[in-house]
């Protein structure tokens, strides 16, 4: 058993949600000396570049979460052509969805229907489409933006575990992204429906959207909200954020020509950077 397998195995018995709540409380602490210590140590350990932040002085942030979800300067993330990355991170997978199955990592696949909350109706348009998975590492910008312009049709909170979602765990925990707590957002776009899945993870204190604020589960069941009044978001507009890092999965009904120069698990992408083009674009 190698180190990555051991790291994945020891996560199974951990109280994921309790750990995440405790970390969330610490991340909201506003005691000046403590929040400054947390922020400055984090910057040092993960070599965070503050020069592109709208507010580069780490001591001005009210708490760790405010620093972690910091805004970038308006010119820091230009929006490219075609399908663009919704966030900063590592492109961990991309390609075709084969008969309702996505690739999680080498040797690991998982169900599209399970990912989207167990609703076959919701999953059907994407069964033979395309997908991309972006993993946000701790040093990255943690706001999530629209990879295409779209109109929100439906949002579903899906309860689950909170395994770590780093590359080691993705390679060793079967069905990781369909097991973790997640938020599924379905948009109508010029290329058909688009699913954006914000996946929770160990010590992720919360997921927020710009239209509903912080998502606070009311029960252990899938909670679906359908939107009759149009909520329209332009390409590049912020749609949500993670309080501590995680993963975004995009699903499309048609074929996407992903850029060949973006190597899986080895390519850092920035929000707004082109990922590929649709066949009919």
């Amino acid at each position: 058993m190698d180190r990555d397998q051991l790291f994945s195995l020891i996560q199974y018995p951990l109280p994921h949600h309790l750990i995440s709540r405790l970390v969330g409380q610490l991340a909201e602490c506003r005691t000046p000396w403590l929040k400054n210590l947390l922020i400055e140590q984090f910057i040092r350990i993960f070599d965070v570049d503050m020069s592109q932040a709208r507010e580069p002085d780490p001591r001005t942030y009210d708490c760790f979460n405010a620093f972690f979800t910091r805004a970038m300067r308006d010119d820091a993330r230009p929006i490219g052509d075609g399908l663009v990355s919704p966030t900063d991170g590592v492109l961990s997978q991309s390609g075709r969805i084969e008969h309702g199955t996505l690739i999680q990592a080498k040797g690991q696949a998982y169900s599209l229907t399970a990912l989207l909350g167990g609703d076959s109706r919701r999953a059907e348009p994407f069964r033979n489409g395309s997908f991309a998975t972006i993993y946000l590492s701790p040093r990255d910008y943690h706001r999530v933006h629209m990879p295409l312009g779209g109109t929100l049709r439906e949002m579903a909170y899906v309860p689950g575990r909170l395994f770590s979602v780093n590359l080691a765990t993705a390679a060793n925990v079967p069905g990781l992204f369909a097991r973790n707590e997640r938020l599924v957002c379905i948009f109508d776009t010029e290329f058909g429906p688009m699913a954006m899945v914000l996946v929770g993870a160990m010590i992720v204190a919360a997921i927020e959207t710009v239209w509903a604020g912080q998502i606070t589960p009311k029960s252990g069941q899938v909670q679906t909200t359908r939107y009759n009044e149009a909520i329209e978001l332009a390409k590049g507009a912020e749609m949500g954020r993670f309080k501590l890092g995680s993963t975004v999965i995009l699903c499309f009904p048609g074929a996407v020509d992903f850029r060949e120069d973006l190597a899986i698990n080895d390519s850092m992408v920035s929000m707004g950077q082109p990922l590929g083009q649709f066949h009919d674009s």
Side-chain angles (χ1 to χ4, degrees):
M1 181 181 296
D2 62 26
R3 184 173 62 181
D4 289 349
Q5 291 173 321
L6 179 61
F7 173 72
S8 300
L9 186 62
I10 63 176
Q11 292 184 55
Y12 280 85
L14 294 177
H16 293 179
H17 289 83
L18 175 60
I19 292 171
S20 298
R21 284 196 298 270
L22 292 174
V23 171
Q25 291 175 7
L26 182 62
E28 286 290 339
C29 174
R30 283 165 164 72
T31 302
W33 71 266
L34 180 55
K35 63 95 176 174
N36 288 338
L37 176 65
L38 292 172
I39 293 170
E40 290 167 357
Q41 287 299 308
F42 188 91
I43 290 172
R44 181 183 63 80
I45 292 170
F46 291 103
D47 191 26
V48 177
D49 179 8
M50 294 296 292
S51 66
Q52 293 185 323
R54 188 175 299 168
E55 176 46 74
D57 182 358
R59 287 179 170 260
T60 63
Y61 292 96
D62 291 338
C63 62
F64 182 87
N65 269 337
F67 150 76
F68 197 80
T69 58
R70 63 196 175 276
M72 293 287 106
R73 294 196 324 260
D74 292 339
D75 62 348
R77 297 292 186 273
I79 306 301
D81 296 328
L83 173 66
V84 301
S85 177
T87 189
D88 288 7
V90 175
L91 182 66
S92 63
Q93 289 293 330
S94 67
R96 297 304 301 268
I97 301 171
E98 301 285 350
H99 305 292
T101 300
L102 297 82
I103 300 300
Q104 176 174 296
K106 185 177 181 180
Q108 296 277 4
Y110 64 104
S111 162
L112 169 71
T113 301
L115 173 70
L116 300 185
D119 187 332
S120 58
R121 171 200 57 82
R122 188 181 296 133
E124 183 59 31
F126 309 104
R127 280 185 54 80
N128 293 292
S130 304
F131 79 100
T133 304
I134 299 104
Y135 163 69
L136 291 76
S137 68
R139 71 188 301 270
D140 294 324
Y141 171 58
H142 278 79
R143 297 191 184 190
V144 183
H145 295 249
M146 295 291 288
L148 299 168
T151 302
L152 181 66
R153 182 206 312 163
E154 183 179 31
M155 178 179 74
Y157 160 78
V158 185
R161 299 295 306 275
L162 288 173
F163 287 97
S164 168
V165 293
N166 62 21
L167 303 182
T169 310
N172 289 284
V173 176
L176 171 65
F177 301 130
R179 299 174 76 161
N180 271 17
E181 180 178 283
R182 55 205 177 277
L183 191 66
V184 178
C185 303
I186 306 295
F187 293 88
D188 290 320
T189 80
E190 62 178 304
F191 300 104
M194 172 180 70
M196 292 187 70
V197 185
L198 280 61
V199 183
M202 186 85 75
I203 75 172
V204 174
I207 298 173
E208 293 185 1
T209 67
V210 298
W211 59 85
Q214 184 166 312
I215 305 302
T216 304
K218 297 180 175 62
S219 71
Q221 305 297 318
V222 176
Q223 299 166 37
T224 301
T225 304
R226 294 182 175 86
Y227 294 87
N228 296 319
E229 295 186 7
I231 298 176
E232 297 182 3
L233 295 173
K235 179 180 176 180
E238 182 183 347
M239 62 80 65
R241 62 186 67 174
F242 289 108
K243 292 183 177 178
L244 299 180
S246 196
T247 290
V248 177
I249 302 171
L250 304 174
C251 299
F252 306 97
V256 177
D257 292 324
F258 289 105
R259 288 173 48 189
E260 295 182 357
D261 61 323
L262 294 178
I264 297 302
N265 283 340
D266 197 36
S267 290
M268 290 294 300
V269 294
S270 298
M271 191 283 287
Q273 179 179 339
L275 296 179
Q277 295 283 344
F278 291 88
H279 274 309
D280 56 349
S281 62

